[in-house]
Amino acid sequence: APLGLLLVIILGAAVAERSGLLAALIRASLVRAPNRLMTPIVAIIGMVSHHASDAAYIVFIPLAAVAYAAVGRHPLVGLAAAFGAVSGGFAGNIAPGQLDVLLFGFTQEAARIVDPNWTMNPLGNWWFILAIVVIFTPAIWYITDRIIEPRLGRWTGTMDEESRKELERSELSDDERKGLRRAGLAALAVVGLFAALMLLPGYHPLVNEDATGPARFQPFYAALIAFFFLLFLLTGIAFGSATGTVKNSSEVVQMMQEGVKTIAPYLVFVFFAAHFVAMFNWSRLGPILAINGAEALQALALPAALLLVSVLLLSSFLDLFIGSASAKWSALAPVVVPMFMLLGISPEMTTAAYRMGDSYTNIMTPLMSYFPLVLAFARRWEPGYGVGSLLALMLPYALTFMALGIAMTVGWVMLDLPLGPGAQVYYEAPARL
C-alpha cells in the first residue's frame, strides 16, 4: 500500500517536473535575488527543492554558482551554500512530499510489528521538517557569508561566455511567466477544493465527526496523497499548456511513464526490502529483538532524548557508506521502530531522528551519488579543485548541522512538541504484544 501511494505522488510530480514547472520556479526565485539576501534565499530554495528531484542538483546548484558570480561574489560560495542546503538540509522542507511517504511506508510496516492497526500519517513530521528550514537557514547564512566567503577571498575571475549564456537562459520567458501564473491559479483551486471539503457547513467528508482529537482529521490525512497528486498534476499541466511542453493528454501520460521509469531501480530495491521486512514478521525476529532490546535499554534507564540521539548518530554514520535514505531505513526501521514504541517513543519521532542523522553527512562523503557532479561544477570555476578541497569547503556546514540536529532532537523531546498534525513524541506502549 505505501508503494502504491508513493507511485501516485510520483505520477503527479513527474508531470510538474517534466513540464518545466519546478525548474522554472527555482530559476524565478533565484535569478533576481538581491545580493544581501541571496544566501538565505538560496538556503530556503535548496531545502524546498527536494520536491524537484534531480533538478535540485542539476539545475539549482550550478545556477547558484552562476548567480553569485554575476554579482561579483565567488561562485564557489554560491555552490557551497546551495550544496549545503540541498544535501546537508535534506531533512528540511516547507511541505511534506514523496520522501515522507517513502520513509513512513517503511515506518508503518515496522510499527505494525507492535501495533497492527498503526497507519502512517504523511504529515507526521511536518512541523519538524519545517523547523529545520527555520533553524538551518540562518546557520547557512552565517557560515556562508562569515566563514566560507572570507576563507575563499575576493573573486578575481570573470564570467566566461558560457556562464553568461547560462545566466541569460535562466531568465524566464513571457510564456514561462504566463505558465507560472496559471500554475498558481491551479494550486489555489486544489487548495480551495480540499479546504471546502473540510470546512463547508453541513458537508465535510474529510472530517470524522464521530471522533475526537487528532483522529477527527484521519480522513484528511488519508486524502493527502490525492491532494499532492492533484497539486503536482494540475499545476504541471497549467504551466505546460502555456509554455508548449504539454500539448495534449498523451504527453501527460508519457511524462507519467517517464516518471515511473526513473524509479525502476527503487522498485527492484523495494522488492527485496519488502521481503526483508516480511521475514522479520514471519520469523518473529522483529518482536524478539524489539522486546529484548527494549528491556535492555529500559534497564539502563536512558532518557528518551539520548535514545533518539543514538539513532541519529547511527544514521549519520551509516550515511557515510550508504547514500540511499530508504535503503538504510528499510534495514533499521524493523528493529528500532518497534523497540522504541515499547519504550514509549512514537514511530514519528523515531523517523524524525533518523531523517536528521541521514542529512548532514551527505556533504561529508564522496560516496554520495551527486558528489562527483558537484565536484565537476566546482572545477568549472577552479580547474584544480579536488575531493579534499570540496570536503573541506563543506565541513563547517556538516559540523554545524550535526550540532543543531542533535540540539533540535533533544529539545523537541524535552519540550514534548508535536511533530505534525496528530503526531506526538511519545507513544503509549501496549501491555503485551
Side-chain angles (χ1 to χ4, degrees), residues 12-29 49-53 55 59 180 232 235-236 239:
V15 177
E17 182 180 0
R18 283 163 175 75
S19 66
L21 170 62
L22 300 181
L25 283 172
I26 291 174
R27 287 158 44 216
S29 54
S49 65
H50 300 138
H51 293 312
S53 187
V59 175
L180 289 178
F232 287 128
T235 54
F239 180 84

mmCIF file with all atom_site columns, all heavy atoms in Angstrom, residues 12-29 49-53 55 59 180 232 235-236 239:
data_model
loop_
_atom_site.group_PDB
_atom_site.id
_atom_site.type_symbol
_atom_site.label_atom_id
_atom_site.label_alt_id
_atom_site.label_comp_id
_atom_site.label_asym_id
_atom_site.label_entity_id
_atom_site.label_seq_id
_atom_site.pdbx_PDB_ins_code
_atom_site.Cartn_x
_atom_site.Cartn_y
_atom_site.Cartn_z
_atom_site.occupancy
_atom_site.B_iso_or_equiv
_atom_site.pdbx_formal_charge
_atom_site.auth_seq_id
_atom_site.auth_comp_id
_atom_site.auth_asym_id
_atom_site.auth_atom_id
_atom_site.pdbx_PDB_model_num
ATOM 1   N N   . GLY A 1 12  ? 2.135  12.394 -10.382 1.00 0.00 ? 12  GLY A N   1
ATOM 2   C CA  . GLY A 1 12  ? 1.849  13.821 -10.444 1.00 0.00 ? 12  GLY A CA  1
ATOM 3   C C   . GLY A 1 12  ? 3.113  14.657 -10.494 1.00 0.00 ? 12  GLY A C   1
ATOM 4   O O   . GLY A 1 12  ? 3.214  15.615 -11.270 1.00 0.00 ? 12  GLY A O   1
ATOM 5   N N   . ALA A 1 13  ? 4.114  14.297 -9.660  1.00 0.00 ? 13  ALA A N   1
ATOM 6   C CA  . ALA A 1 13  ? 5.362  15.055 -9.628  1.00 0.00 ? 13  ALA A CA  1
ATOM 7   C C   . ALA A 1 13  ? 6.095  14.970 -10.957 1.00 0.00 ? 13  ALA A C   1
ATOM 8   O O   . ALA A 1 13  ? 6.794  15.917 -11.358 1.00 0.00 ? 13  ALA A O   1
ATOM 9   C CB  . ALA A 1 13  ? 6.252  14.539 -8.500  1.00 0.00 ? 13  ALA A CB  1
ATOM 10  N N   . ALA A 1 14  ? 5.967  13.831 -11.670 1.00 0.00 ? 14  ALA A N   1
ATOM 11  C CA  . ALA A 1 14  ? 6.628  13.683 -12.969 1.00 0.00 ? 14  ALA A CA  1
ATOM 12  C C   . ALA A 1 14  ? 6.105  14.717 -13.966 1.00 0.00 ? 14  ALA A C   1
ATOM 13  O O   . ALA A 1 14  ? 6.877  15.270 -14.761 1.00 0.00 ? 14  ALA A O   1
ATOM 14  C CB  . ALA A 1 14  ? 6.405  12.275 -13.512 1.00 0.00 ? 14  ALA A CB  1
ATOM 15  N N   . VAL A 1 15  ? 4.815  14.991 -13.924 1.00 0.00 ? 15  VAL A N   1
ATOM 16  C CA  . VAL A 1 15  ? 4.241  15.999 -14.832 1.00 0.00 ? 15  VAL A CA  1
ATOM 17  C C   . VAL A 1 15  ? 4.760  17.384 -14.462 1.00 0.00 ? 15  VAL A C   1
ATOM 18  O O   . VAL A 1 15  ? 5.136  18.172 -15.335 1.00 0.00 ? 15  VAL A O   1
ATOM 19  C CB  . VAL A 1 15  ? 2.698  15.956 -14.770 1.00 0.00 ? 15  VAL A CB  1
ATOM 20  C CG1 . VAL A 1 15  ? 2.099  17.051 -15.647 1.00 0.00 ? 15  VAL A CG1 1
ATOM 21  C CG2 . VAL A 1 15  ? 2.190  14.594 -15.211 1.00 0.00 ? 15  VAL A CG2 1
ATOM 22  N N   . ALA A 1 16  ? 4.799  17.694 -13.162 1.00 0.00 ? 16  ALA A N   1
ATOM 23  C CA  . ALA A 1 16  ? 5.288  19.008 -12.729 1.00 0.00 ? 16  ALA A CA  1
ATOM 24  C C   . ALA A 1 16  ? 6.756  19.205 -13.092 1.00 0.00 ? 16  ALA A C   1
ATOM 25  O O   . ALA A 1 16  ? 7.174  20.294 -13.494 1.00 0.00 ? 16  ALA A O   1
ATOM 26  C CB  . ALA A 1 16  ? 5.082  19.164 -11.225 1.00 0.00 ? 16  ALA A CB  1
ATOM 27  N N   . GLU A 1 17  ? 7.547  18.134 -12.969 1.00 0.00 ? 17  GLU A N   1
ATOM 28  C CA  . GLU A 1 17  ? 8.982  18.245 -13.259 1.00 0.00 ? 17  GLU A CA  1
ATOM 29  C C   . GLU A 1 17  ? 9.248  18.317 -14.755 1.00 0.00 ? 17  GLU A C   1
ATOM 30  O O   . GLU A 1 17  ? 9.990  19.186 -15.238 1.00 0.00 ? 17  GLU A O   1
ATOM 31  C CB  . GLU A 1 17  ? 9.727  17.066 -12.654 1.00 0.00 ? 17  GLU A CB  1
ATOM 32  C CG  . GLU A 1 17  ? 11.232 17.126 -12.865 1.00 0.00 ? 17  GLU A CG  1
ATOM 33  C CD  . GLU A 1 17  ? 11.954 15.945 -12.247 1.00 0.00 ? 17  GLU A CD  1
ATOM 34  O OE1 . GLU A 1 17  ? 11.290 15.077 -11.652 1.00 0.00 ? 17  GLU A OE1 1
ATOM 35  O OE2 . GLU A 1 17  ? 13.191 15.883 -12.369 1.00 0.00 ? 17  GLU A OE2 1
ATOM 36  N N   . ARG A 1 18  ? 8.639  17.427 -15.524 1.00 0.00 ? 18  ARG A N   1
ATOM 37  C CA  . ARG A 1 18  ? 8.953  17.341 -16.949 1.00 0.00 ? 18  ARG A CA  1
ATOM 38  C C   . ARG A 1 18  ? 8.275  18.425 -17.779 1.00 0.00 ? 18  ARG A C   1
ATOM 39  O O   . ARG A 1 18  ? 8.672  18.668 -18.912 1.00 0.00 ? 18  ARG A O   1
ATOM 40  C CB  . ARG A 1 18  ? 8.592  15.945 -17.467 1.00 0.00 ? 18  ARG A CB  1
ATOM 41  C CG  . ARG A 1 18  ? 9.630  14.925 -17.049 1.00 0.00 ? 18  ARG A CG  1
ATOM 42  C CD  . ARG A 1 18  ? 9.172  13.495 -17.166 1.00 0.00 ? 18  ARG A CD  1
ATOM 43  N NE  . ARG A 1 18  ? 10.264 12.582 -16.863 1.00 0.00 ? 18  ARG A NE  1
ATOM 44  C CZ  . ARG A 1 18  ? 10.714 12.341 -15.635 1.00 0.00 ? 18  ARG A CZ  1
ATOM 45  N NH1 . ARG A 1 18  ? 10.153 12.936 -14.603 1.00 0.00 ? 18  ARG A NH1 1
ATOM 46  N NH2 . ARG A 1 18  ? 11.731 11.515 -15.433 1.00 0.00 ? 18  ARG A NH2 1
ATOM 47  N N   . SER A 1 19  ? 7.278  19.072 -17.221 1.00 0.00 ? 19  SER A N   1
ATOM 48  C CA  . SER A 1 19  ? 6.693  20.222 -17.912 1.00 0.00 ? 19  SER A CA  1
ATOM 49  C C   . SER A 1 19  ? 7.578  21.456 -17.774 1.00 0.00 ? 19  SER A C   1
ATOM 50  O O   . SER A 1 19  ? 7.384  22.452 -18.485 1.00 0.00 ? 19  SER A O   1
ATOM 51  C CB  . SER A 1 19  ? 5.303  20.523 -17.350 1.00 0.00 ? 19  SER A CB  1
ATOM 52  O OG  . SER A 1 19  ? 5.387  20.960 -16.009 1.00 0.00 ? 19  SER A OG  1
ATOM 53  N N   . GLY A 1 20  ? 8.558  21.393 -16.868 1.00 0.00 ? 20  GLY A N   1
ATOM 54  C CA  . GLY A 1 20  ? 9.463  22.520 -16.642 1.00 0.00 ? 20  GLY A CA  1
ATOM 55  C C   . GLY A 1 20  ? 9.037  23.420 -15.504 1.00 0.00 ? 20  GLY A C   1
ATOM 56  O O   . GLY A 1 20  ? 9.718  24.412 -15.207 1.00 0.00 ? 20  GLY A O   1
ATOM 57  N N   . LEU A 1 21  ? 7.931  23.097 -14.826 1.00 0.00 ? 21  LEU A N   1
ATOM 58  C CA  . LEU A 1 21  ? 7.417  23.954 -13.764 1.00 0.00 ? 21  LEU A CA  1
ATOM 59  C C   . LEU A 1 21  ? 8.392  24.087 -12.608 1.00 0.00 ? 21  LEU A C   1
ATOM 60  O O   . LEU A 1 21  ? 8.693  25.213 -12.173 1.00 0.00 ? 21  LEU A O   1
ATOM 61  C CB  . LEU A 1 21  ? 6.080  23.404 -13.258 1.00 0.00 ? 21  LEU A CB  1
ATOM 62  C CG  . LEU A 1 21  ? 5.511  24.051 -11.990 1.00 0.00 ? 21  LEU A CG  1
ATOM 63  C CD1 . LEU A 1 21  ? 5.219  25.524 -12.222 1.00 0.00 ? 21  LEU A CD1 1
ATOM 64  C CD2 . LEU A 1 21  ? 4.262  23.323 -11.512 1.00 0.00 ? 21  LEU A CD2 1
ATOM 65  N N   . LEU A 1 22  ? 8.908  22.979 -12.091 1.00 0.00 ? 22  LEU A N   1
ATOM 66  C CA  . LEU A 1 22  ? 9.765  23.034 -10.911 1.00 0.00 ? 22  LEU A CA  1
ATOM 67  C C   . LEU A 1 22  ? 11.079 23.762 -11.208 1.00 0.00 ? 22  LEU A C   1
ATOM 68  O O   . LEU A 1 22  ? 11.553 24.550 -10.392 1.00 0.00 ? 22  LEU A O   1
ATOM 69  C CB  . LEU A 1 22  ? 10.029 21.619 -10.400 1.00 0.00 ? 22  LEU A CB  1
ATOM 70  C CG  . LEU A 1 22  ? 8.776  20.837 -9.983  1.00 0.00 ? 22  LEU A CG  1
ATOM 71  C CD1 . LEU A 1 22  ? 9.155  19.456 -9.475  1.00 0.00 ? 22  LEU A CD1 1
ATOM 72  C CD2 . LEU A 1 22  ? 7.985  21.589 -8.930  1.00 0.00 ? 22  LEU A CD2 1
ATOM 73  N N   . ALA A 1 23  ? 11.661 23.506 -12.375 1.00 0.00 ? 23  ALA A N   1
ATOM 74  C CA  . ALA A 1 23  ? 12.894 24.207 -12.753 1.00 0.00 ? 23  ALA A CA  1
ATOM 75  C C   . ALA A 1 23  ? 12.641 25.694 -12.911 1.00 0.00 ? 23  ALA A C   1
ATOM 76  O O   . ALA A 1 23  ? 13.470 26.532 -12.530 1.00 0.00 ? 23  ALA A O   1
ATOM 77  C CB  . ALA A 1 23  ? 13.450 23.615 -14.040 1.00 0.00 ? 23  ALA A CB  1
ATOM 78  N N   . ALA A 1 24  ? 11.492 26.063 -13.487 1.00 0.00 ? 24  ALA A N   1
ATOM 79  C CA  . ALA A 1 24  ? 11.154 27.478 -13.666 1.00 0.00 ? 24  ALA A CA  1
ATOM 80  C C   . ALA A 1 24  ? 10.974 28.165 -12.319 1.00 0.00 ? 24  ALA A C   1
ATOM 81  O O   . ALA A 1 24  ? 11.372 29.323 -12.142 1.00 0.00 ? 24  ALA A O   1
ATOM 82  C CB  . ALA A 1 24  ? 9.890  27.612 -14.506 1.00 0.00 ? 24  ALA A CB  1
ATOM 83  N N   . LEU A 1 25  ? 10.364 27.466 -11.359 1.00 0.00 ? 25  LEU A N   1
ATOM 84  C CA  . LEU A 1 25  ? 10.202 28.038 -10.025 1.00 0.00 ? 25  LEU A CA  1
ATOM 85  C C   . LEU A 1 25  ? 11.558 28.304 -9.371  1.00 0.00 ? 25  LEU A C   1
ATOM 86  O O   . LEU A 1 25  ? 11.759 29.343 -8.731  1.00 0.00 ? 25  LEU A O   1
ATOM 87  C CB  . LEU A 1 25  ? 9.375  27.089 -9.157  1.00 0.00 ? 25  LEU A CB  1
ATOM 88  C CG  . LEU A 1 25  ? 7.862  27.071 -9.405  1.00 0.00 ? 25  LEU A CG  1
ATOM 89  C CD1 . LEU A 1 25  ? 7.216  25.943 -8.607  1.00 0.00 ? 25  LEU A CD1 1
ATOM 90  C CD2 . LEU A 1 25  ? 7.231  28.403 -9.044  1.00 0.00 ? 25  LEU A CD2 1
ATOM 91  N N   . ILE A 1 26  ? 12.480 27.358 -9.534  1.00 0.00 ? 26  ILE A N   1
ATOM 92  C CA  . ILE A 1 26  ? 13.824 27.528 -8.974  1.00 0.00 ? 26  ILE A CA  1
ATOM 93  C C   . ILE A 1 26  ? 14.508 28.735 -9.611  1.00 0.00 ? 26  ILE A C   1
ATOM 94  O O   . ILE A 1 26  ? 15.084 29.592 -8.923  1.00 0.00 ? 26  ILE A O   1
ATOM 95  C CB  . ILE A 1 26  ? 14.653 26.256 -9.178  1.00 0.00 ? 26  ILE A CB  1
ATOM 96  C CG1 . ILE A 1 26  ? 14.117 25.120 -8.297  1.00 0.00 ? 26  ILE A CG1 1
ATOM 97  C CG2 . ILE A 1 26  ? 16.129 26.507 -8.872  1.00 0.00 ? 26  ILE A CG2 1
ATOM 98  C CD1 . ILE A 1 26  ? 14.790 23.787 -8.535  1.00 0.00 ? 26  ILE A CD1 1
ATOM 99  N N   . ARG A 1 27  ? 14.451 28.819 -10.935 1.00 0.00 ? 27  ARG A N   1
ATOM 100 C CA  . ARG A 1 27  ? 15.106 29.929 -11.629 1.00 0.00 ? 27  ARG A CA  1
ATOM 101 C C   . ARG A 1 27  ? 14.463 31.265 -11.281 1.00 0.00 ? 27  ARG A C   1
ATOM 102 O O   . ARG A 1 27  ? 15.152 32.269 -11.058 1.00 0.00 ? 27  ARG A O   1
ATOM 103 C CB  . ARG A 1 27  ? 15.040 29.685 -13.129 1.00 0.00 ? 27  ARG A CB  1
ATOM 104 C CG  . ARG A 1 27  ? 15.968 28.585 -13.607 1.00 0.00 ? 27  ARG A CG  1
ATOM 105 C CD  . ARG A 1 27  ? 15.531 27.985 -14.927 1.00 0.00 ? 27  ARG A CD  1
ATOM 106 N NE  . ARG A 1 27  ? 15.131 28.999 -15.867 1.00 0.00 ? 27  ARG A NE  1
ATOM 107 C CZ  . ARG A 1 27  ? 14.143 28.873 -16.750 1.00 0.00 ? 27  ARG A CZ  1
ATOM 108 N NH1 . ARG A 1 27  ? 13.444 27.743 -16.791 1.00 0.00 ? 27  ARG A NH1 1
ATOM 109 N NH2 . ARG A 1 27  ? 13.855 29.838 -17.575 1.00 0.00 ? 27  ARG A NH2 1
ATOM 110 N N   . ALA A 1 28  ? 13.138 31.298 -11.217 1.00 0.00 ? 28  ALA A N   1
ATOM 111 C CA  . ALA A 1 28  ? 12.435 32.547 -10.947 1.00 0.00 ? 28  ALA A CA  1
ATOM 112 C C   . ALA A 1 28  ? 12.763 33.083 -9.560  1.00 0.00 ? 28  ALA A C   1
ATOM 113 O O   . ALA A 1 28  ? 12.857 34.302 -9.361  1.00 0.00 ? 28  ALA A O   1
ATOM 114 C CB  . ALA A 1 28  ? 10.927 32.326 -11.077 1.00 0.00 ? 28  ALA A CB  1
ATOM 115 N N   . SER A 1 29  ? 12.943 32.192 -8.590  1.00 0.00 ? 29  SER A N   1
ATOM 116 C CA  . SER A 1 29  ? 13.181 32.626 -7.220  1.00 0.00 ? 29  SER A CA  1
ATOM 117 C C   . SER A 1 29  ? 14.627 32.998 -6.950  1.00 0.00 ? 29  SER A C   1
ATOM 118 O O   . SER A 1 29  ? 14.922 33.662 -5.959  1.00 0.00 ? 29  SER A O   1
ATOM 119 C CB  . SER A 1 29  ? 12.753 31.520 -6.254  1.00 0.00 ? 29  SER A CB  1
ATOM 120 O OG  . SER A 1 29  ? 13.380 30.304 -6.585  1.00 0.00 ? 29  SER A OG  1
ATOM 121 N N   . SER A 1 49  ? 13.681 22.529 -2.653  1.00 0.00 ? 49  SER A N   1
ATOM 122 C CA  . SER A 1 49  ? 13.845 21.975 -3.994  1.00 0.00 ? 49  SER A CA  1
ATOM 123 C C   . SER A 1 49  ? 13.881 20.459 -4.037  1.00 0.00 ? 49  SER A C   1
ATOM 124 O O   . SER A 1 49  ? 13.973 19.875 -5.117  1.00 0.00 ? 49  SER A O   1
ATOM 125 C CB  . SER A 1 49  ? 15.143 22.520 -4.632  1.00 0.00 ? 49  SER A CB  1
ATOM 126 O OG  . SER A 1 49  ? 16.285 22.072 -3.922  1.00 0.00 ? 49  SER A OG  1
ATOM 127 N N   . HIS A 1 50  ? 13.798 19.782 -2.883  1.00 0.00 ? 50  HIS A N   1
ATOM 128 C CA  . HIS A 1 50  ? 13.753 18.321 -2.911  1.00 0.00 ? 50  HIS A CA  1
ATOM 129 C C   . HIS A 1 50  ? 12.532 17.817 -3.665  1.00 0.00 ? 50  HIS A C   1
ATOM 130 O O   . HIS A 1 50  ? 12.541 16.709 -4.199  1.00 0.00 ? 50  HIS A O   1
ATOM 131 C CB  . HIS A 1 50  ? 13.733 17.763 -1.477  1.00 0.00 ? 50  HIS A CB  1
ATOM 132 C CG  . HIS A 1 50  ? 14.934 18.158 -0.682  1.00 0.00 ? 50  HIS A CG  1
ATOM 133 N ND1 . HIS A 1 50  ? 14.867 18.552 0.633   1.00 0.00 ? 50  HIS A ND1 1
ATOM 134 C CD2 . HIS A 1 50  ? 16.242 18.254 -1.019  1.00 0.00 ? 50  HIS A CD2 1
ATOM 135 C CE1 . HIS A 1 50  ? 16.074 18.852 1.071   1.00 0.00 ? 50  HIS A CE1 1
ATOM 136 N NE2 . HIS A 1 50  ? 16.925 18.682 0.079   1.00 0.00 ? 50  HIS A NE2 1
ATOM 137 N N   . HIS A 1 51  ? 11.473 18.626 -3.704  1.00 0.00 ? 51  HIS A N   1
ATOM 138 C CA  . HIS A 1 51  ? 10.298 18.236 -4.481  1.00 0.00 ? 51  HIS A CA  1
ATOM 139 C C   . HIS A 1 51  ? 10.626 18.155 -5.970  1.00 0.00 ? 51  HIS A C   1
ATOM 140 O O   . HIS A 1 51  ? 9.909  17.500 -6.720  1.00 0.00 ? 51  HIS A O   1
ATOM 141 C CB  . HIS A 1 51  ? 9.164  19.245 -4.277  1.00 0.00 ? 51  HIS A CB  1
ATOM 142 C CG  . HIS A 1 51  ? 8.603  19.237 -2.884  1.00 0.00 ? 51  HIS A CG  1
ATOM 143 N ND1 . HIS A 1 51  ? 8.253  18.077 -2.227  1.00 0.00 ? 51  HIS A ND1 1
ATOM 144 C CD2 . HIS A 1 51  ? 8.335  20.241 -2.018  1.00 0.00 ? 51  HIS A CD2 1
ATOM 145 C CE1 . HIS A 1 51  ? 7.788  18.373 -1.020  1.00 0.00 ? 51  HIS A CE1 1
ATOM 146 N NE2 . HIS A 1 51  ? 7.829  19.678 -0.870  1.00 0.00 ? 51  HIS A NE2 1
ATOM 147 N N   . ALA A 1 52  ? 11.689 18.842 -6.381  1.00 0.00 ? 52  ALA A N   1
ATOM 148 C CA  . ALA A 1 52  ? 12.061 18.869 -7.796  1.00 0.00 ? 52  ALA A CA  1
ATOM 149 C C   . ALA A 1 52  ? 12.991 17.739 -8.189  1.00 0.00 ? 52  ALA A C   1
ATOM 150 O O   . ALA A 1 52  ? 13.469 17.699 -9.321  1.00 0.00 ? 52  ALA A O   1
ATOM 151 C CB  . ALA A 1 52  ? 12.708 20.215 -8.144  1.00 0.00 ? 52  ALA A CB  1
ATOM 152 N N   . SER A 1 53  ? 13.298 16.848 -7.255  1.00 0.00 ? 53  SER A N   1
ATOM 153 C CA  . SER A 1 53  ? 14.114 15.664 -7.546  1.00 0.00 ? 53  SER A CA  1
ATOM 154 C C   . SER A 1 53  ? 15.483 16.069 -8.094  1.00 0.00 ? 53  SER A C   1
ATOM 155 O O   . SER A 1 53  ? 16.189 16.865 -7.485  1.00 0.00 ? 53  SER A O   1
ATOM 156 C CB  . SER A 1 53  ? 13.368 14.749 -8.521  1.00 0.00 ? 53  SER A CB  1
ATOM 157 O OG  . SER A 1 53  ? 14.042 13.535 -8.701  1.00 0.00 ? 53  SER A OG  1
ATOM 158 N N   . ALA A 1 55  ? 16.412 18.036 -10.350 1.00 0.00 ? 55  ALA A N   1
ATOM 159 C CA  . ALA A 1 55  ? 16.601 19.454 -10.668 1.00 0.00 ? 55  ALA A CA  1
ATOM 160 C C   . ALA A 1 55  ? 17.283 20.199 -9.530  1.00 0.00 ? 55  ALA A C   1
ATOM 161 O O   . ALA A 1 55  ? 17.957 21.212 -9.752  1.00 0.00 ? 55  ALA A O   1
ATOM 162 C CB  . ALA A 1 55  ? 15.262 20.111 -10.994 1.00 0.00 ? 55  ALA A CB  1
ATOM 163 N N   . VAL A 1 59  ? 20.079 21.581 -11.753 1.00 0.00 ? 59  VAL A N   1
ATOM 164 C CA  . VAL A 1 59  ? 19.722 22.955 -12.134 1.00 0.00 ? 59  VAL A CA  1
ATOM 165 C C   . VAL A 1 59  ? 20.136 23.952 -11.060 1.00 0.00 ? 59  VAL A C   1
ATOM 166 O O   . VAL A 1 59  ? 20.795 24.955 -11.343 1.00 0.00 ? 59  VAL A O   1
ATOM 167 C CB  . VAL A 1 59  ? 18.209 23.070 -12.409 1.00 0.00 ? 59  VAL A CB  1
ATOM 168 C CG1 . VAL A 1 59  ? 17.819 24.519 -12.686 1.00 0.00 ? 59  VAL A CG1 1
ATOM 169 C CG2 . VAL A 1 59  ? 17.813 22.186 -13.583 1.00 0.00 ? 59  VAL A CG2 1
ATOM 170 N N   . LEU A 1 180 ? 3.572  30.235 -14.965 1.00 0.00 ? 180 LEU A N   1
ATOM 171 C CA  . LEU A 1 180 ? 3.618  30.282 -13.506 1.00 0.00 ? 180 LEU A CA  1
ATOM 172 C C   . LEU A 1 180 ? 2.341  30.894 -12.937 1.00 0.00 ? 180 LEU A C   1
ATOM 173 O O   . LEU A 1 180 ? 1.858  30.466 -11.878 1.00 0.00 ? 180 LEU A O   1
ATOM 174 C CB  . LEU A 1 180 ? 4.838  31.079 -13.047 1.00 0.00 ? 180 LEU A CB  1
ATOM 175 C CG  . LEU A 1 180 ? 6.206  30.405 -13.247 1.00 0.00 ? 180 LEU A CG  1
ATOM 176 C CD1 . LEU A 1 180 ? 7.328  31.317 -12.796 1.00 0.00 ? 180 LEU A CD1 1
ATOM 177 C CD2 . LEU A 1 180 ? 6.263  29.082 -12.475 1.00 0.00 ? 180 LEU A CD2 1
ATOM 178 N N   . PHE A 1 232 ? 0.427  18.570 -7.977  1.00 0.00 ? 232 PHE A N   1
ATOM 179 C CA  . PHE A 1 232 ? 1.522  18.473 -8.944  1.00 0.00 ? 232 PHE A CA  1
ATOM 180 C C   . PHE A 1 232 ? 0.992  18.324 -10.370 1.00 0.00 ? 232 PHE A C   1
ATOM 181 O O   . PHE A 1 232 ? 1.500  18.948 -11.301 1.00 0.00 ? 232 PHE A O   1
ATOM 182 C CB  . PHE A 1 232 ? 2.431  17.291 -8.602  1.00 0.00 ? 232 PHE A CB  1
ATOM 183 C CG  . PHE A 1 232 ? 3.297  17.515 -7.403  1.00 0.00 ? 232 PHE A CG  1
ATOM 184 C CD1 . PHE A 1 232 ? 3.327  16.603 -6.356  1.00 0.00 ? 232 PHE A CD1 1
ATOM 185 C CD2 . PHE A 1 232 ? 4.109  18.633 -7.309  1.00 0.00 ? 232 PHE A CD2 1
ATOM 186 C CE1 . PHE A 1 232 ? 4.130  16.801 -5.250  1.00 0.00 ? 232 PHE A CE1 1
ATOM 187 C CE2 . PHE A 1 232 ? 4.916  18.847 -6.212  1.00 0.00 ? 232 PHE A CE2 1
ATOM 188 C CZ  . PHE A 1 232 ? 4.922  17.926 -5.172  1.00 0.00 ? 232 PHE A CZ  1
ATOM 189 N N   . THR A 1 235 ? -0.971 21.719 -11.639 1.00 0.00 ? 235 THR A N   1
ATOM 190 C CA  . THR A 1 235 ? -0.052 22.848 -11.826 1.00 0.00 ? 235 THR A CA  1
ATOM 191 C C   . THR A 1 235 ? 0.910  22.579 -12.976 1.00 0.00 ? 235 THR A C   1
ATOM 192 O O   . THR A 1 235 ? 1.250  23.486 -13.733 1.00 0.00 ? 235 THR A O   1
ATOM 193 C CB  . THR A 1 235 ? 0.736  23.123 -10.534 1.00 0.00 ? 235 THR A CB  1
ATOM 194 O OG1 . THR A 1 235 ? 1.378  21.913 -10.095 1.00 0.00 ? 235 THR A OG1 1
ATOM 195 C CG2 . THR A 1 235 ? -0.181 23.625 -9.444  1.00 0.00 ? 235 THR A CG2 1
ATOM 196 N N   . GLY A 1 236 ? 1.352  21.311 -13.107 1.00 0.00 ? 236 GLY A N   1
ATOM 197 C CA  . GLY A 1 236 ? 2.230  20.963 -14.231 1.00 0.00 ? 236 GLY A CA  1
ATOM 198 C C   . GLY A 1 236 ? 1.536  21.130 -15.569 1.00 0.00 ? 236 GLY A C   1
ATOM 199 O O   . GLY A 1 236 ? 2.111  21.654 -16.527 1.00 0.00 ? 236 GLY A O   1
ATOM 200 N N   . PHE A 1 239 ? 1.086  24.893 -16.306 1.00 0.00 ? 239 PHE A N   1
ATOM 201 C CA  . PHE A 1 239 ? 2.335  25.509 -16.764 1.00 0.00 ? 239 PHE A CA  1
ATOM 202 C C   . PHE A 1 239 ? 2.689  25.033 -18.168 1.00 0.00 ? 239 PHE A C   1
ATOM 203 O O   . PHE A 1 239 ? 3.047  25.832 -19.043 1.00 0.00 ? 239 PHE A O   1
ATOM 204 C CB  . PHE A 1 239 ? 3.468  25.160 -15.797 1.00 0.00 ? 239 PHE A CB  1
ATOM 205 C CG  . PHE A 1 239 ? 4.807  25.742 -16.180 1.00 0.00 ? 239 PHE A CG  1
ATOM 206 C CD1 . PHE A 1 239 ? 5.138  27.028 -15.831 1.00 0.00 ? 239 PHE A CD1 1
ATOM 207 C CD2 . PHE A 1 239 ? 5.727  24.984 -16.901 1.00 0.00 ? 239 PHE A CD2 1
ATOM 208 C CE1 . PHE A 1 239 ? 6.371  27.564 -16.185 1.00 0.00 ? 239 PHE A CE1 1
ATOM 209 C CE2 . PHE A 1 239 ? 6.954  25.501 -17.261 1.00 0.00 ? 239 PHE A CE2 1
ATOM 210 C CZ  . PHE A 1 239 ? 7.276  26.803 -16.905 1.00 0.00 ? 239 PHE A CZ  1
#
